[in-house]
């Protein structure tokens, strides 16, 4: 399964009230902001608040507010790769450049599992509901991101050659087996 199909399958699970047919439909940031608001209501405004309501965020600011929240959420985690990617994307958004929805969606996916928030478990459980191919693709996205390969990796859903021996999803005590595990096999180490 390619990354795009896996991301759409994941979004259908975590944002079930909406249909997600193309990543390009996420370019305005509303769906991804809704996902992050669910994960961290204090750190991300809801795109569903009507004009004049408390916490209202104008649609033109969705992507910028999403990236500002992601930058704050990911600050100080790991080696700073998360922060650097997010800061670069935030600069691009503030400059009025359009962001590739695939990169933005991958960053949100990473943020839903790379955090210490109470709803993290919910998002990991949703990943376990993915098809096996979807789990493998998501695992590849996470590995590429953690190894510094970035969000622009090819849409193969496979791990790059010579992948890192860093622990999957940065959990202490996880030692990668000689073969690549499915997300299902690796996840018991993720859940408390």
């Amino acid at each position: 399964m390619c990354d795009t199909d896996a991301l759409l399958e994941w979004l259908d699970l975590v944002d079930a009230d909406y249909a997600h047919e193309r990543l390009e439909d996420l370019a305005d940031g509303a769906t991804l902001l809704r996902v992050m608001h669910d994960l961290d209501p204090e750190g991300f405004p809801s795109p569903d608040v009507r004009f004049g309501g408390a916490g209202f965020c104008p649609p033109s600011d969705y992507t910028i507010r999403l990236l500002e929240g992601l930058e704050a959420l990911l600050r100080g985690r790991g080696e700073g790769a998360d922060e650097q990617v997010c800061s670069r994307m935030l600069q691009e958004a503030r400059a009025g450049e359009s962001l590739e929805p695939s990169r933005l969606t991958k960053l949100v996916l990473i943020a839903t599992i790379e955090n210490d928030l109470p709803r993290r478990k919910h998002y990991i459980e949703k990943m376990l509901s993915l098809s096996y191919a979807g789990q493998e693709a998501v695992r590849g996205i996470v590995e590429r991101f953690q190894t510094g390969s970035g969000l622009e990796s090819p849409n193969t859903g496979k791990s790059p050659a010579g992948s890192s021996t860093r622990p999957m999803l940065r959990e202490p005590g996880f030692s990668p087996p000689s073969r690549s595990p499915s997300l299902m096999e690796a996840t018991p180490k993720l859940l408390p």
Side-chain angles (χ1 to χ4, degrees):
M1 173 179 282
C2 71
D3 287 357
T4 299
D5 291 342
L7 291 169
L8 290 170
E9 182 182 349
W10 174 74
L11 279 169
D12 284 342
L13 291 172
V14 300
D15 192 39
D17 293 338
Y18 299 87
H20 308 96
E21 295 181 19
R22 303 174 324 132
L23 287 180
E24 292 77 19
D25 297 338
L26 308 176
D28 68 355
T31 296
L32 300 175
L33 189 58
R34 190 172 24 261
V35 169
M36 291 309 299
H37 176 76
D38 178 65
L39 176 73
D40 183 9
E42 294 180 21
F44 296 87
S46 171
D48 298 324
V49 173
R50 296 195 185 272
F51 180 76
F56 173 74
C57 173
S60 60
D61 291 349
Y62 287 167
T63 302
I64 291 172
R65 295 292 299 275
L66 172 67
L67 287 164
E68 288 171 344
L70 287 168
E71 187 177 49
L73 180 68
L74 298 171
R75 187 172 291 126
R77 302 190 70 80
E79 288 84 39
D82 307 353
E83 246 182 284
Q84 291 171 6
V85 168
C86 194
S87 293
R88 197 168 39 249
M89 290 175 74
L90 181 55
Q91 288 174 350
E92 292 169 7
R94 285 182 174 151
E97 298 176 31
S98 65
L99 301 176
E100 182 186 333
S102 174
R103 289 177 62 214
L104 198 53
T105 306
K106 289 175 186 178
L107 187 60
V108 167
L109 180 141
I110 297 295
T112 63
I113 55 178
E114 292 277 337
N115 68 75
D116 299 320
L117 297 167
R119 297 258 317 143
R120 175 180 185 250
K121 182 178 178 180
H122 167 78
Y123 285 91
I124 290 175
E125 289 170 347
K126 289 293 184 182
M127 282 187 220
L128 292 176
S129 300
L130 291 170
S131 66
Y132 181 81
Q135 290 178 27
E136 288 295 306
V138 166
R139 189 177 145 303
I141 291 167
V142 171
E143 278 186 358
R144 288 190 307 267
F145 191 72
Q146 289 180 336
T147 61
S149 300
L151 301 173
E152 296 84 10
S153 297
N155 267 352
T156 63
K158 299 198 185 285
S159 302
S163 39
S164 166
T165 57
R166 285 181 55 193
M168 174 134 176
L169 306 180
R170 298 185 186 150
E171 288 296 322
F174 181 77
S175 175
S178 58
R179 70 172 182 82
S180 298
S182 69
L183 188 61
M184 182 71 81
E185 292 169 319
T187 302
K189 300 289 183 182
L190 299 173
L191 297 174

